[in-house]
Amino acid sequence: QVQLVESGGGSVQAGGSLRLSCRTSEFTYSRYCMAWFRQAPGKEREAVVGIYIADGSTYYDDSVDGRWTISRDNTKNTLYLQMDMLKPEDTAMYYCAADAPLCRNRGVYGSTWHLPQEYNTWGQGTQVTVSS
């Protein structure tokens, strides 16, 4: 069974940076679609960035585009989210998600990456708090 383990959350002042990590237990990681979602108190879970691991295609929400960067280390089965220029409105619980063991809807992933139902595996979340 695929497991996702996030780490790297914390508290930072506005303008600061954090790097989140998401480690997966499965060697078939390279065929996943993966994404980072966030959920603030009282709000719906929203996608911030998605990636098709096999070819590195990435998709960013407008709210983070230009500030954050998703990357992966295939040798470590780990996904990263480098978050720069953090804002108070970025405060949320951040979740790593995967469609595993195979990205089922690769052909339309560019249009569907932001939908929670695209993913069948979720991590436990890591808290990010940005103070002004």
Side-chain angles (χ1 to χ4, degrees), residues 7 40 51 64-65 74 80 94 101:
S7 61
I51 183 170
V64 305
D65 196 10
N74 291 358
Y80 301 101
Y94 283 75

Side-chain angles (χ1 to χ4, degrees), residues 63-69 82-87 90:
S63 64
V64 305
D65 196 10
R67 298 191 295 131
W68 298 3
T69 304
Q82 178 65 41
M83 304 187 295
D84 298 319
M85 296 182 284
L86 281 160
K87 303 176 181 180
D90 295 321

